[in-house]
Amino acid sequence: DPFSLIHPAAQEEPDVVASTIAILRHRNDQRWYTAAHAAAQKHPEDLRFRQWSAEATLEPILSDTGLLVGKPPSAGQMEAVRNAADALLSVWEKLSDDEAPDREPHSALAQNTAAALRFCHRTEEAAAVIDKALMRLGAVPALVRIRALLYVHDDQDEQAIRVLGDEHATDPELAL
């Protein structure tokens, strides 16, 4: 239990809560879902808690085996993903704004935002997030792959090959 070493009076401090969520998440302990949602409710102005709460909603839905093999999502799942996509997009826009130097956006935020948007059939918005992330963060391989897949999704295979560049010759995953 991450709290066992923390004085009870300090357990509600935002940085302690954030550390707890990070530890639970790193351990693949699903209690991080509940902790992230509770933190976002208690600290609605904290962008990391908003992000993590949205990701806690997304993770079980986007990794659902039935959905991965083609089962249509329920209305409740679609609504949850739409809300999470909107929350992540809001966080992304705040953090990726050139005037927001206090916290650099991380590629995982761009990836999760794009995944949620794509799930909601908002591929143009997903592509815009990835394009901006590539500009801000550089050619992070996961972002390059996502951008290439979005081009393939839009039947722009030549653009996908262009964005992959010469890397597809040496990376088997990219070559596929």
Side-chain angles (χ1 to χ4, degrees):
D1 178 17
F3 283 125
S4 64
L5 301 173
I6 308 292
H7 188 278
Q11 290 182 5
E12 294 300 316
E13 292 296 319
D15 287 339
V16 172
V17 173
S19 297
T20 302
I21 293 168
I23 289 168
L24 292 172
R25 194 172 186 179
H26 180 75
R27 292 179 179 170
N28 291 321
D29 184 328
Q30 293 182 352
R31 291 181 296 167
W32 83 267
Y33 300 157
T34 306
H37 292 309
Q41 284 185 337
K42 188 166 186 168
H43 306 282
E45 72 293 340
D46 193 312
L47 294 179
R48 65 190 161 176
F49 293 145
R50 277 198 271 166
Q51 175 185 341
W52 292 345
S53 178
E55 290 170 345
T57 297
L58 282 178
E59 189 172 289
I61 296 171
L62 297 185
S63 61
D64 179 283
T65 342
L67 294 176
L68 291 173
V69 296
K71 178 186 104 181
S74 71
Q77 288 172 317
M78 279 306 298
E79 183 65 23
V81 173
R82 268 193 295 275
N83 291 338
D86 290 339
L88 287 172
L89 187 57
S90 170
V91 171
W92 169 256
E93 288 171 346
K94 284 184 172 80
L95 293 181
S96 66
D97 182 358
D98 291 333
E99 302 300 317
D102 55 325
R103 183 173 165 215
E104 182 72 22
H106 190 273
S107 69
L109 173 59
Q111 293 172 49
N112 292 334
T113 303
L117 291 167
R118 185 168 178 266
F119 189 88
C120 297
H121 308 287
R122 294 162 59 183
T123 54
E124 286 182 24
E125 289 174 275
V129 166
I130 296 301
D131 287 342
K132 189 167 188 178
L134 286 166
M135 284 185 353
R136 289 282 309 255
L137 304 172
V140 176
L143 296 174
V144 172
R145 285 188 195 104
I146 293 168
R147 188 61 184 107
L149 289 171
L150 289 168
Y151 278 129
V152 169
H153 177 78
D154 287 340
D155 293 323
Q156 297 180 35
D157 295 349
E158 289 181 22
Q159 285 289 87
I161 291 169
R162 183 191 57 74
V163 87
L164 292 172
D166 292 332
E167 293 178 43
H168 71 280
T170 58
D171 184 336
E173 250 184 78
L174 291 178
L176 288 174

